[in-house]
Amino acid sequence: MTASEPTGPGVLPAVELLRIDHVGVAVPDLDAALQFYAETFGMHCVHQETNEEQGVREAMLAVGPDPDGPRLQVLAPASPDSAIAKFLGRSGPGLQQLAYTVRDVEATAEALRARGLRLLYDTPRRGTAGSRINFVHPKDAGGVLVELVEPA
Ligand code: MC0
């Protein structure tokens, strides 16, 4: 905090995004998608897991040589009633989410709530590799499902 920063009642807390964490695409078949991205774009999988709570089988693909750079997340449904299954049924395969890395997911969620945006969860849930995540409703973010990711 510097002397020039505004403080006091009515001043909104800052929203601090660090970088693009990943872009998520919904696919019907994870293994087929991994083969497609490897053969077509030369992208390789650096992490894979099933997140039962989210109902997804997911893989993170590195893009380019930077091991800490933004990733492509490939999301396939692990259950028929999951968010990804519903997305595929409505829109078909394609871009499902844009995720930003944040230092503090609760503080960022609170700062967005203060701006009138709806967060999907009252408290953060478990995301990829033990991260803590929350989402902004796509109707409050220009038609984009925005994910906040606080890495483990
Ligand atoms: C729905 N809508 C979207 C959208 N999903 N718009 C843009 N991007 C999306 N992904 C639109 C619909 O078209 C509809 O628009 C309106 O939002 C409301 O639709 P709805 O019927 O309420 O939609 P639902 O029931 O499919 O729910 C949407 C919602 C859901 C975003 C709330 O998908 C959700 O809870 N997502 C968060 C969890 C998630 O996505 N998990 C999978 C990734 P109209 O104009 O027709 O009204 S797991 C993950 O990402 C983890 C592993 C991680 O990264 O660590």
Side-chain angles (χ1 to χ4, degrees):
M1 181 80 58
T2 67
S4 61
E5 285 181 44
T7 58
V11 176
L12 294 170
V15 176
E16 192 188 6
L17 307 180
L18 299 180
R19 59 185 166 273
I20 291 176
D21 192 277
H22 62 265
V23 174
V25 295
V27 302
D29 181 327
L30 188 68
D31 298 322
L34 292 184
Q35 189 176 351
F36 168 78
Y37 281 106
E39 290 177 1
T40 309
F41 296 113
M43 289 160 62
H44 64 280
C45 176
V46 293
H47 179 79
Q48 192 172 329
E49 70 179 60
T50 297
N51 186 321
E52 300 286 354
E53 185 182 27
Q54 293 291 332
V56 292
R57 287 185 68 209
E58 59 127 326
M60 287 291 189
L61 277 53
V63 183
D66 181 358
D68 299 320
R71 290 172 172 180
L72 182 74
Q73 182 183 44
V74 183
L75 297 154
S79 63
D81 57 347
S82 62
I84 296 301
K86 196 166 178 190
F87 181 90
L88 287 169
R90 182 174 44 223
S91 310
L95 286 179
Q96 191 260 349
Q97 58 170 265
L98 172 60
Y100 298 103
T101 313
V102 299
R103 206 180 307 282
D104 182 333
V105 67
E106 275 149 327
T108 309
E110 207 43 53
L112 292 168
R113 282 191 195 99
R115 287 161 172 78
L117 277 66
R118 285 169 292 167
L119 275 290
L120 294 186
Y121 308 140
D122 291 339
T123 55
R125 297 194 182 169
R126 199 191 70 77
T128 307
S131 58
R132 299 169 76 232
I133 61 171
N134 206 335
F135 294 87
V136 179
H137 196 285
K139 291 293 176 190
D140 292 353
V144 177
L145 175 62
V146 170
E147 181 181 355
L148 308 173
V149 182
E150 179 186 313

